[in-house]
Amino acid sequence: MAAVNGGVSFWYAAGGVPEPGPALPGDADVDVCVVGGGYTGLWTAYYLKKAEPSLRIALLERRFCGYGASGRNGGWLYNGFAGRGAFARKYGRAGAVAMQRVMDAAVGEVVEVAAVERIEADVVRGGVLEVARSGPQLARLREYVEAERGYGEGRVEELSAKETAERIDVADVRGGAWSPYGARIQPAKLVRGLARVVRGLGVEVYEGTPVTAVLPGTGSRRPRAVTPYGTVTAGRVLRATEGFTAGLRGERRTWLPMNSAMVATEPLPAEFWAEVNWQGREVLGDFAHAYMYAQRTADDRIALGGRGVPYRFGSRTDPDGSTQVETVRQLRRILDRFFPAAAQARIDHAWAGVLGVPRDWCATVDLDRASGLGWAGGYVGSGVTTANVAGRTLCDLVLGRDTELTGLPWVGHTVRRWEPEPLRWLGVRAMYAAYHAADRQEAAGRATTSPIARVADRVSGRI
């Protein structure tokens, strides 16, 4: 079992969990109020303040900046976003292509801003390697490569089993897909660095300040964010709460808080890294239905994640990042299957966090000018880069700019609410039970993608 379970995440292990900064001292009136101190909220405040330094901006965070998914994720800065296929079907392929082009460029945008602002986040732009370890996974990999080529040549490279092993020698690998649009980061360093920068720009950041309700503007009354310490009234109130959105009044069924869990090994010796060829610091994923994701950390550990117990009844969230013992065992088994040479490695840390999942699995961003409320999120686990695009888009929307970003298909995209309990709990549990069953069938030798997974995709709304 893990030496540490919880403590927010492994990413804070070296420096310790930050103490929250000053809380909101009372009622306030500002131009823009941002609710949530993760990537989305901080990027939004950053770009707004850069564009209009005179804006009075208050950012409210219930614990400390980076407490949520921004300080717990797998450190994949990559170009995937939630809902590309759905956007192409609903709004036309050209819009989805434009969105993908923006996402491709956003990887470099984050790397560049981090360098300019002197945010040391252990960034290595080694790309994304996704592997197939069975026949059905290999077929899905090839479908993925073909789809990616439809969004522009040179965006992804299909690799043979030998070529894949030369990058990362995963046991039983059948093939791989490598994309240059990805980087390894230390997520907590990025979010804490952003918080430092926005404070330096003059944004009022209030930590230890839970927001209980976000209320629309009506008549002559402006929108506001309500906290136990006072109410912030603003020209625009922007909700950037992602997986914690269900905790706000009236938002319980907006986005489902999906749990994802991770483990980090002890530092592994040079002999191990030489044996598995993981020298390029690529981020690593696979084509299982209940997929895994991993990175080689700056201090030479493997940090590896997966869904574990995906959802807690009533949209509850685990406040301290602790995860179930069985989930740790499950991730240990994945680690051992992928890298038998690490089978004796100690697990130093386990943790979990939540990500926001809309009912149609499509990310959204919008600003309702009538109510003065804006929001972004529903990233379905692809938020590290998408949050940067969301922050820039919210900036343009607040400032009334008509730009390429404000014309993308996810802007103003509407999503129906999740079912009431116990239906959503039963549905999510059944969906992931089906995915795990499908993965077991395929690992046992099934030649094609399990029909169980196809049914789960359709019933859940993922396709």
Side-chain angles (χ1 to χ4, degrees):
M1 288 297 98
V4 178
N5 190 339
V8 183
S9 78
F10 161 75
W11 308 121
Y12 292 107
V17 174
E19 286 294 324
L24 180 71
D27 292 344
D29 191 295
V30 297
D31 297 312
V32 180
C33 176
V34 179
V35 180
Y39 293 140
T40 301
L42 290 167
W43 280 124
T44 302
Y46 175 81
Y47 287 108
L48 278 169
K49 203 66 173 172
K50 282 286 192 177
E52 294 287 349
S54 63
L55 283 176
R56 296 169 300 147
I57 302 174
L59 185 148
L60 309 177
E61 164 56 43
R62 74 173 190 172
R63 288 288 296 276
F64 56 83
C65 291
Y67 172 75
S70 299
R72 308 188 197 193
N73 65 80
W76 275 44
L77 177 68
Y78 86 121
N79 66 337
F81 69 96
R84 185 178 71 179
F87 290 137
R89 290 189 296 271
K90 186 169 183 178
Y91 303 109
R93 184 171 179 80
V97 170
M99 181 78 184
Q100 187 62 72
R101 184 172 60 247
V102 168
M103 287 296 302
D104 291 349
V107 174
E109 169 74 7
V110 174
V111 173
E112 181 179 344
V113 172
V116 168
E117 300 294 357
R118 299 183 179 180
I119 299 172
E120 177 48 62
D122 298 340
V123 179
V124 178
R125 197 165 179 177
V128 182
L129 180 66
E130 297 179 271
V131 302
R133 300 178 62 249
S134 68
Q137 286 189 27
L138 186 59
R140 292 194 292 274
L141 181 152
R142 288 170 174 161
E143 291 173 2
Y144 159 77
V145 169
E146 186 62 30
E148 289 300 304
R149 287 173 177 163
Y151 285 83
E153 291 298 322
R155 299 184 62 260
V156 66
E157 179 183 355
E158 183 177 350
L159 306 177
S160 67
K162 180 177 182 295
E163 291 168 330
T164 304
E166 287 170 353
R167 280 192 175 271
I168 305 178
D169 193 1
V170 172
D172 302 320
V173 71
R174 302 282 190 93
W178 180 81
S179 165
Y181 297 106
R184 188 280 314 273
I185 66 165
Q186 208 278 31
K189 287 185 177 181
L190 177 60
V191 71
R192 297 302 294 174
L194 277 173
R196 170 185 56 78
V197 170
V198 301
R199 284 188 175 100
L201 292 172
V203 175
E204 296 293 333
V205 177
Y206 299 111
E207 296 181 309
T209 303
V211 173
T212 56
V214 174
L215 303 177
T218 55
S220 60
R221 192 168 191 185
R222 298 197 300 166
R224 54 217 180 273
V226 180
T227 84
Y229 311 122
T231 296
V232 178
T233 302
R236 298 285 186 260
V237 177
L238 309 178
R239 191 186 76 226
T241 47
E242 243 294 278
F244 292 97
T245 299
L248 293 171
R249 188 188 310 168
E251 304 290 349
R252 185 168 293 274
R253 292 166 56 196
T254 300
W255 293 328
L256 185 141
M258 187 80 75
N259 291 279
S260 197
M262 294 195 71
V263 294
T265 68
E266 64 182 316
L268 300 174
E271 296 78 25
F272 169 82
W273 299 109
E275 179 176 344
V276 301
N277 298 329
W278 198 346
Q279 305 300 331
R281 308 277 175 163
E282 304 91 339
V283 293
L284 173 67
D286 75 346
F287 280 86
H289 300 291
Y291 53 85
M292 60 77 74
Y293 51 94
Q295 67 152 277
R296 176 181 175 181
T297 68
D299 60 348
D300 290 334
R301 305 169 190 263
I302 295 176
L304 179 148
R307 287 295 181 260
V309 176
Y311 176 69
R312 293 182 173 88
F313 188 88
S315 293
R316 289 180 291 111
T317 56
D318 192 339
D320 65 357
S322 62
T323 192
Q324 299 85 359
V325 170
E326 180 50 40
T327 296
V328 179
R329 292 195 183 105
Q330 177 184 323
L331 295 175
R332 168 91 251 185
R333 289 193 291 269
I334 294 172
L335 173 68
D336 293 350
R337 287 198 298 268
F338 272 64
F339 300 109
Q344 302 305 313
R346 185 181 68 246
I347 299 295
D348 275 355
H349 208 122
W351 70 99
V354 294
L355 49 102
V357 179
R359 187 60 182 84
D360 66 353
W361 302 74
C362 294
T364 56
V365 60
D366 202 9
L367 174 64
D368 177 33
R369 299 194 177 281
S371 67
L373 300 183
W375 59 89
Y379 304 136
V380 196
S382 299
V384 178
T385 311
T386 314
N388 174 270
V389 179
R392 286 185 280 142
T393 305
L394 282 171
C395 173
D396 286 347
L397 291 170
V398 168
L399 298 179
R401 297 169 168 173
D402 183 9
T403 66
E404 177 189 24
L405 293 175
T406 62
L408 293 174
W410 72 324
V411 178
H413 174 72
T414 57
V415 185
R416 69 183 176 92
R417 291 160 68 82
W418 281 89
E419 292 80 359
E421 295 291 22
L423 294 178
R424 65 178 181 272
W425 182 83
L426 291 169
V428 175
R429 298 278 292 193
M431 177 182 70
Y432 271 93
Y435 287 146
H436 285 298
D439 284 333
R440 288 193 295 270
Q441 284 187 354
E442 294 176 9
R446 182 181 174 85
T448 59
T449 291
S450 170
I452 298 174
R454 297 190 187 279
V455 171
D457 281 343
R458 191 163 297 280
V459 172
S460 68
R462 297 184 74 174
I463 59 172

